[in-house]
Amino acid sequence: MNVALLLETVAADRPAAIAVQDDDGRDSYAELLDGARGLAAWLERAAPPGPVAFVGTNRREMVELLFAAAYAGRTFFPLNFRIKQEEMARQLARVAPTLAMVGERNRDMVTAAARAGAVDCRILTAEALVAEAAAADGDAVTAPFDAAAAALYLATSGTTSDPKFAVVTHGNLFEYVVNTVEAASADAGEAVLVSAPTYHIAGIAQLLGNVFRGRRIVLMSQFDALRWLELVRDEEITHAMVVPTMLRRILDLLDTRPDLAPRTLVSLSYGGAKAPPGLVERALRTLPGQVGLSNAFGLTETTSTVAVLSPEDHRRAIASDDPAVRARLDSVGHPIPGVEVMIMRADGSAAEPDEQGEVCIRGGHVSPGYLGKRAALDDAGWLHTADQGRLDADGYLFLGRRDDDVIIRGGENVDPTEIEAVVLSHPAVSDVAVVGVPDAEWGEAIGALVVGDSETSTDDLQRWVRERLAGYRVPALVHWTEELPRNEMGKLVRRWARQEILVGLDHAEEEDV
Amino acid sequence: MSKLGKRYRCVSCATVVLCLRPSAEEFSCCGETMREKDMEELPSGD
C-alpha cells in the first residue's frame, strides 16, 4: 500500500476535475499527479535519502510534496510553524530531514533552527523548490508498495508532556481512508474547505480522504472566522471540519453577521478537542438547518478519527426529551469501520456497558509506535489511550478525564473534571481548567484557572465548590484569566494552565510584599 | 478489472472484499465473478 495510489485512482477517474486550490491558483487531479511524480523524481537527486519536512501554512505545493514524498519512499514530516526556534531545532535534530520546503516567512527561522540543531538539511521556499523541480520528468516514477513504511512523522500535541513523534505508516493512512471513503464518490459540485494545519493528523487525514473522494479541496492558509465564512460563500463550500475554538468564533461572528450564514454547507464536522459545554447546542440552533454536524474523535496515534457522532445522532439528541438520548451530544459516537474500541479495566478485562475504564483502540489505523521509542501497542495490539471513558448500552462512546490529569493531593486521587463541572455551574464562570500545582505540604494543591466575571470573589467561588464537594476538592489557588491556554487545535494545555496559575501566584506574593 | 478502494460482493455467499491493489483481474468467489458493490454512506469525520 502507498497513499500515492489514492491520488492515482482519482486522477484516472476525473483527471480534469479541480483537485486543490489556494489563494494563488488551482490544480486539476491530473496536474497534481504529474506535479507529485515530477517532484518525486527531482527529490532523488536534490537531497540524500531521509525525511522531507514542511514548515508553513496550507498551500498547494505542500499537497504536491506530501504525495511526492510517498512516491519517493520518503517520510513526510510537517512541523508546527508556530513553535519557538529552540523547540524546532530539537525536532529537526530528532527527525533529521534532508530537505525542507518552507514558507517565505519561515525560512530564516528554520535555517537558524537547523543550524542550531546541527541538521544537514537543504531548505528551500515552496516557490524555489517547485521552480527547481519543474523540469524533472516523473513519468517513470512508481510508488513503492510497502504498508509498513513510515508515511508521516507527526509530533503528538503534547498537552501534558514534551512531544513524541508518532510513526504513521502508509498502511495506517490507507486503511483509514478506504474504510471511511468510497473512491471517487464526490458529486461534481462538492467542495471541502481545509483549515486545519497539516502538522496535525486531522489536516492530513482530511486532505487524503477528500482526494480519494475526488472533491475540490479549498485550502485556507490560516483560520480566520470572517475569511472562513466568506470562503464558504464564495467557493460554495459543501463540507468542512473545524476545531471547537474555530466553531465558537464562527458562531460569535454569525451573531452579528447573519448574512454570512453558510447556505451551501451540508456537512460540518468538529473535533481535535472536547467541545466546551453548550457549544454544540448553540451550533445546532445557529447554523442553517441543512448543515449536518458530526463530532469526530481521534488521536494522532490512531491516524485521525476512530469514532463519529453522526448528524442524525445530533438531530435526534437535540429533539429528545429523554435525558439519556440528549446526553449523547456529549458523546463521540460510534467507532468507525475497521476500529475496535474496548473499555478496559485495570486488570485488563473488558468493562460492562456504562462502566468507566481506560479507552483502548485496536485496528489497522493504529500507529505501531513512536520514532526511536517503544511500540505504542500492548501484546494484543491495543493502544492504551490514557483517556478514561465508557460505552453505553447502545455503543456510544463517552470520554472522561485523562489518567495523566489526575491530581494527587495528600495521597488522595482527585479527578479534575468533577471539580471543573462544579466550578462551571457557578453563574459567573464560563470556562475553567483545574490542575495540580506543586505544594510543599500536600504534594499537589488544587489550582483553578477561571474565565468569567472576575468581580466574583475567589472566596465566593471556593464557598460554591465547598457546598457541593468534599473540602479536599476545593481549589486552594484560583486565578482569573481572559481565556484558557489552548493549542491551535483548541485542546486545553494543562501544563500551560498550571504555569499561568503559578505565575499569578508569584505576582500576588510580590504585591503582598 | 478490480478498482482500488471499491468493494466487491459475492452474489452467492454475500462476502464483501475491499480492493487494496488494483488489477486487470477480477475477484471471484463461489465460482463466480464478484460484483462491484453500490456506493454506501460511510461514517467519516472529514
Side-chain angles (χ1 to χ4, degrees):
Chain A
M1 293 176 216
N2 185 301
V3 294
L5 298 180
L6 302 172
L7 173 59
E8 283 185 15
T9 301
V10 181
D13 181 84
R14 49 187 71 187
I18 298 301
V20 59
Q21 66 180 76
D22 61 15
D23 291 342
D24 297 323
R26 46 180 56 188
D27 292 326
S28 68
Y29 275 96
E31 288 167 336
L32 177 59
L33 180 63
D34 285 350
R37 293 173 71 180
L39 202 50
W42 172 82
L43 270 175
E44 291 301 312
R45 57 174 195 276
V52 175
F54 173 76
V55 185
T57 55
N58 290 345
R59 57 192 302 157
R60 278 176 301 139
E61 295 88 345
M62 169 204 69
V63 183
E64 211 168 88
L65 185 66
L66 167 66
F67 285 108
Y71 272 114
R74 312 282 188 111
T75 305
F76 186 63
F77 173 43
L79 288 97
N80 185 343
F81 57 87
R82 292 188 178 91
I83 59 178
K84 303 288 184 209
Q85 183 180 314
E86 190 182 331
E87 174 62 17
M88 185 163 289
R90 278 203 300 270
Q91 292 201 11
L92 289 171
R94 182 75 192 81
V95 175
T98 56
L99 184 129
M101 177 194 278
V102 298
E104 181 66 45
R105 74 174 69 164
N106 310 107
R107 181 173 52 182
D108 292 347
M109 200 272 256
V110 177
T111 303
R115 198 176 299 124
V119 181
D120 188 9
C121 177
R122 197 170 168 208
I123 297 162
L124 292 166
T125 63
E127 293 82 0
L129 192 152
V130 169
E132 196 172 311
D137 179 3
D139 286 354
V141 170
T142 56
F145 202 82
D146 183 0
L152 302 171
Y153 294 137
L154 289 176
T156 59
S157 59
T159 54
T160 55
S161 60
D162 282 337
K164 297 174 283 193
F165 296 96
V167 176
V168 180
T169 67
H170 283 274
N172 294 149
L173 288 165
F174 210 87
E175 292 228 19
Y176 169 70
V177 173
V178 297
N179 277 322
T180 55
V181 175
E182 284 276 10
S185 58
D187 293 333
E190 291 186 11
V192 61
L193 181 55
V194 174
S195 50
T198 46
Y199 54 80
H200 194 283
I201 188 64
I204 294 274
Q206 194 188 17
L207 269 179
L208 293 176
N210 281 289
V211 162
F212 196 49
R213 209 184 287 269
R215 279 196 187 121
R216 179 166 60 93
I217 297 168
V218 179
L219 295 175
M220 188 172 188
S221 57
Q222 277 186 278
F223 178 80
D224 168 82
L226 177 60
R227 181 76 184 125
W228 191 91
L229 284 165
E230 288 173 341
L231 276 172
V232 170
R233 178 193 62 197
D234 298 344
E235 295 295 338
E236 299 184 347
I237 297 295
T238 54
H239 294 72
M241 193 277 285
V242 291
V243 301
T245 309
M246 296 175 183
L247 180 57
R248 183 176 57 76
R249 290 180 185 167
I250 290 164
L251 298 177
D252 286 348
L253 187 58
L254 285 174
D255 284 345
T256 55
R257 293 289 309 274
D259 57 303
L260 286 171
R263 302 285 170 212
T264 55
L265 197 65
V266 294
S267 171
L268 179 62
S269 63
Y270 58 94
K274 188 173 169 56
L279 183 69
V280 179
E281 289 92 331
R282 187 179 166 207
L284 286 163
R285 282 197 312 272
T286 305
L287 295 169
Q290 88 283 349
V291 180
L293 281 178
S294 303
N295 183 3
F297 162 68
L299 311 167
T300 305
E301 292 88 340
T302 60
T303 315
S304 193
T305 307
V306 290
V308 172
L309 188 73
S310 71
E312 192 48 41
D313 287 324
H314 282 79
R315 293 188 185 110
R316 215 176 289 135
I318 198 76
S320 177
D321 294 328
D322 181 344
V325 176
R326 184 103 183 171
R328 286 180 188 154
L329 282 182
D330 288 331
S331 88
V332 293
H334 288 111
I336 63 173
V339 168
E340 290 178 82
V341 172
M342 176 167 69
I343 305 300
M344 198 180 280
R345 295 175 175 139
D347 67 2
S349 61
E352 295 293 321
D354 283 322
E355 181 184 346
Q356 288 276 348
E358 186 183 16
V359 178
C360 293
I361 299 166
R362 184 165 68 178
H365 305 190
V366 180
S367 159
Y370 302 99
L371 182 63
K373 296 195 175 185
R374 62 177 171 74
L377 312 180
D378 70 13
D379 292 344
W382 291 103
L383 173 76
H384 293 248
T385 66
D387 282 315
Q388 290 288 302
R390 65 183 171 88
L391 285 163
D392 76 6
D394 294 315
Y396 287 85
L397 176 61
F398 291 77
L399 298 176
R401 63 167 168 75
R402 284 186 62 78
D403 286 346
D404 306 342
D405 298 339
V406 171
I407 301 165
I408 304 175
R409 181 190 180 276
E412 293 272 10
N413 284 4
V414 179
D415 179 353
T417 60
E418 291 176 8
I419 303 170
E420 284 168 355
V422 171
V423 175
L424 261 176
S425 68
H426 190 288
V429 174
S430 59
D431 212 351
V432 63
V434 169
V435 295
V437 291
D439 183 82
E441 185 175 2
W442 298 101
E444 280 189 304
I446 295 169
L449 189 62
V450 184
V451 181
D453 177 7
S454 57
E455 295 295 306
T456 305
S457 73
T458 295
D459 285 348
D460 179 52
L461 196 62
Q462 288 170 325
R463 193 177 318 115
W464 178 272
V465 178
R466 193 173 294 111
E467 286 168 1
R468 290 161 177 82
L469 291 175
Y472 72 92
R473 292 178 174 181
V474 177
L477 306 166
V478 175
H479 183 68
W480 297 83
T481 188
E482 293 289 313
E483 195 167 6
L484 292 188
R486 298 182 185 275
N487 65 16
E488 52 280 2
M489 296 304 289
K491 198 175 283 184
L492 173 68
V493 184
R494 289 184 184 271
R495 67 175 190 278
W496 295 347
R498 184 177 298 113
Q499 191 62 29
E500 199 171 328
I501 292 170
L502 289 171
V503 169
L505 191 64
D506 285 347
H507 288 171
E509 284 172 356
E510 285 165 12
E511 284 166 13
D512 287 346
V513 173
Chain B
M1 74 184 282
S2 49
K3 293 180 268 187
L4 179 74
K6 294 294 179 187
R7 290 164 174 79
Y8 295 85
R9 187 173 188 276
C10 173
V11 291
S12 298
C13 72
T15 294
V16 174
V17 299
L18 175 67
C19 176
L20 296 179
R21 190 163 195 170
S23 160
E25 303 298 315
E26 291 178 312
F27 289 108
S28 63
C29 182
C30 299
E32 292 179 87
T33 301
M34 298 179 84
R35 292 204 185 145
E36 187 176 323
K37 200 166 172 281
D38 289 339
M39 286 189 190
E40 55 182 297
E41 192 62 33
L42 298 169
S44 168
D46 48 44

